[in-house]
Amino acid sequence: MKQLFIDGGWHDGAGVTTTYSPSDRSDLVGEYASAGAAQVELALEAARAAAGSWRHSGVQQRADALDKIGTEINERKAELGALLAREEGKTLPEAIGEVGRAGAIFKFFAQEALRIRGDKLASVRPGVEVDVTREALGVVGIIAPWNFPIAIPAWKVAPALAYGNCVVLKPAELVPGCSWAMAEIISRSGLPAGVFNLLSGPGRIVGEAISKDSRVDAISFTGSVGTGSRVLAACAARRAKVQLEMGGKNPLLVLADADLDVAVNAAIQGSFYSTGQRCTASSRLIVDETIYRAFVAAMTEKLGQLKVGHALHAGTDIGPVVDQAQLEQDLRYIDMAKAEGARLAFGGERLPRETDGYFLNPALFVDCDPAMQHTREEIFGPVASVIPAKNYEHALQLANDTEFGLTAGICTTSLKHASHFKRHARAGMVMVNLPTAGVDYHVPFGGTKGSSYGAREQGGAAVEFFTTLKTSYTCA
Ligand code: UN1
């Protein structure tokens, strides 16, 4: 059994979580200790105790540790990618790519630790100088989702450590293995005891405890709207800093002048790769009437060529759905879409394979009306809705008619429409002639409206969440 990492040592939990591959229910991935109240207590005490000196640690020490972690993650990309693909079900190439992204993130933040900037200003009072500096928050609780089992923990843990914070990481219960592997690498990176702690376990025990405990200065959360709202309420009640990344119902516009191949590739990738299990997925395909028939025909043809299967098998394009509950949710929405009168142009049924896994044929619904419920709620599966639009202005209005605002894409050869869309799409990230999912690691990530709350993640923007400002006045 793989243990919890607390205060520089390995500990048993209150229970054990056994994980099985969604590609093959007979493939036992691992047994992981699951924290109870006693382990939460140990970890919070350890993190609190370490925070006092870690906040004043040298930036070279932080940079060296993060760089070492990044190097080992990169060196073990194939092995860790295979673990990720087995545990979560994304295809091996996608999984290896995600591990590489995690390695790159650690190396990026290793360097960012050396670039913590401040300002020096003249005071309005002659003879007085003002320094504005950034300081660590203290202890940061991290609650990570299952769909990016190593990249999301990495993009929260690396900046937290780089800016001098101690960390308590709670990975999603479905994917403790990738965080365990990352924690094991971190355990050998030279960080002092208590600076990084791994608390795998259930949300109702670990997630709730760290959200409510005053020893945790801030929470960085990625997950569902429902859980995010509970985390927000717990943090608000005790005035803790919080950042939330939640759902999306991201539009991808296909204008009359789009390059059809570019649009179809963007839509296939954005809607169905990673089995559609991304908050950045292109779940609403808003297509100009003049190109509509050609687009739908090209999409169904392309979908027919995709191989849905075991995440580890060569040639698989789309892996399984992550678990039974998610599969049931996907199937419920597929039934709902049919009942609402959308036309199923492709897929939507479970697929038998030689192994017992959660294989679902990607579903493409066409002739959808923007009032239909399945076009308004996040499904988080390989299900996309094609909505016809009269022209660009209509498409833009449909794109923004959502409670979410994470990403928005447009396929067009018109500079005028692309530029207008970049300014008018109500989303935190806009993509032109690209899928709405699949982002760089060195630039800000986050959304508007119901998708996100608090400061942006990733890139140089991460400093805003993981530090606080101090203004010092000196009369020399
Ligand atoms: C991506 O599309 O590259 O949970 C990243 C998610 C997002 C990450 C998406 N927070 O799907």
Side-chain angles (χ1 to χ4, degrees):
M1 183 198 54
K2 308 274 201 255
Q3 291 172 301
L4 306 168
F5 187 66
I6 303 172
D7 200 14
W10 295 97
H11 293 254
D12 286 340
V16 179
T17 303
T18 306
T19 56
Y20 296 89
S21 172
S23 297
D24 178 357
R25 303 299 295 145
S26 66
D27 177 21
L28 189 155
V29 179
E31 292 181 325
Y32 300 92
S34 167
Q39 292 76 39
V40 173
E41 185 58 29
L42 267 184
L44 293 186
E45 278 303 299
R48 203 65 262 165
S53 52
W54 181 244
R55 63 163 55 248
H56 297 297
S57 57
V59 291
Q60 188 65 54
Q61 182 189 1
R62 297 182 210 165
D64 288 346
L66 293 172
D67 191 69
K68 192 165 173 216
I69 297 163
T71 298
E72 184 170 341
I73 290 176
N74 283 339
E75 282 169 2
R76 293 172 55 194
K77 221 185 300 194
E79 171 213 340
L80 296 175
L83 169 67
L84 199 162
R86 257 177 92 201
E87 185 179 55
E88 195 267 353
K90 66 183 66 174
T91 65
L92 191 56
E94 287 177 324
I96 292 173
E98 185 184 330
V99 175
R101 181 164 163 178
I105 288 165
F106 274 100
K107 286 183 166 285
F108 175 81
F109 283 107
Q111 295 302 304
E112 285 295 280
L114 305 173
R115 296 189 196 106
I116 307 174
R117 293 190 171 83
D119 279 326
K120 193 170 194 79
L121 294 91
S123 165
V124 294
R125 288 167 282 173
V128 174
E129 288 179 347
V130 184
D131 295 302
V132 183
T133 52
R134 292 209 172 257
E135 293 192 340
L137 300 173
V139 176
V140 176
I142 293 173
I143 303 177
W146 51 259
N147 65 331
F148 283 86
I150 194 161
I152 291 182
W155 86 46
K156 294 177 186 291
V157 169
L161 296 174
Y163 299 124
N165 300 286
C166 291
V167 167
V168 175
L169 168 64
K170 187 209 114 46
E173 269 187 290
L174 283 176
V175 293
C178 288
S179 279
W180 188 89
M182 191 181 86
E184 197 278 324
I185 293 171
I186 294 175
S187 77
R188 290 182 282 99
S189 67
L191 294 178
V195 168
F196 172 83
N197 304 276
L198 175 71
L199 277 187
S200 307
R204 63 178 191 288
I205 295 174
V206 182
E208 196 171 313
I210 64 175
S211 303
K212 289 186 172 161
D213 198 293
S214 61
R215 287 168 292 186
V216 179
D217 299 284
I219 294 278
S220 179
F221 168 91
T222 298
S224 68
V225 175
T227 308
S229 305
R230 283 200 295 282
V231 168
L232 177 60
C235 289
R238 59 187 188 85
R239 294 168 297 281
K241 194 170 184 180
V242 59
Q243 98 184 144
L244 309 172
E245 287 300 338
M246 302 173 287
K249 193 74 187 179
N250 310 295
L252 177 68
L253 275 56
V254 180
L255 300 194
D257 64 9
D259 177 317
L260 191 61
D261 283 347
V262 167
V264 168
N265 281 328
I268 294 278
Q269 278 219 27
S271 306
F272 303 117
Y273 277 59
S274 298
T275 322
Q277 297 173 151
R278 293 187 280 193
C279 57
T280 46
S282 320
S283 42
R284 291 185 298 140
L285 306 172
I286 300 172
V287 183
D288 190 286
E289 281 167 2
T290 55
I291 199 175
Y292 190 87
R293 283 171 67 100
F295 176 79
V296 171
M299 283 293 286
T300 50
E301 191 193 330
K302 190 86 183 217
L303 278 165
Q305 293 159 4
L306 294 183
K307 256 180 78 181
V308 179
H310 196 299
L312 292 173
H313 289 180
T316 296
D317 297 299
I318 313 260
V321 173
V322 73
D323 73 347
Q324 181 71 33
Q326 183 61 50
L327 179 68
E328 282 167 14
Q329 174 163 315
D330 296 347
L331 292 170
R332 231 180 6 256
Y333 274 107
I334 288 168
D335 286 344
M336 177 197 288
K338 289 179 190 161
E340 289 179 314
R343 185 166 70 78
L344 183 60
F346 189 90
E349 77 281 12
R350 279 202 73 170
L351 293 172
R353 291 290 179 262
E354 63 270 28
T355 52
D356 173 20
Y358 305 116
F359 303 106
L360 179 62
N361 210 7
L364 185 71
F365 283 98
V366 299
D367 306 342
C368 299
D369 184 286
M372 292 175 181
Q373 196 180 340
H374 84 279
T375 71
R376 309 200 67 83
E377 296 175 4
E378 185 176 51
I379 301 172
F380 220 64
V383 184
S385 319
V386 186
I387 305 171
K390 292 190 209 15
N391 49 36
Y392 167 68
E393 287 71 27
H394 184 214
L396 174 65
Q397 180 249 313
L398 292 172
N400 286 338
D401 178 20
T402 166
E403 66 189 69
F404 296 109
L406 192 59
T407 58
I410 187 168
C411 293
T412 179
T413 51
S414 152
L415 179 62
K416 182 178 145 207
H417 287 141
S419 309
H420 188 272
F421 189 69
K422 284 196 277 184
R423 290 193 304 273
H424 289 86
R426 295 279 322 278
M429 294 169 283
V430 179
M431 283 75 169
V432 179
N433 293 321
L434 288 166
T436 57
V439 297
D440 287 5
Y441 64 84
H442 66 306
V443 288
F445 178 96
T448 58
K449 300 199 274 182
S451 289
S452 305
Y453 182 90
R456 287 281 188 271
E457 300 195 85
Q458 299 205 71
V463 75
E464 287 161 26
F465 182 74
F466 290 103
T467 63
T468 184
L469 289 172
K470 178 175 280 177
T471 310
S472 313
Y473 296 81
T474 309
C475 181

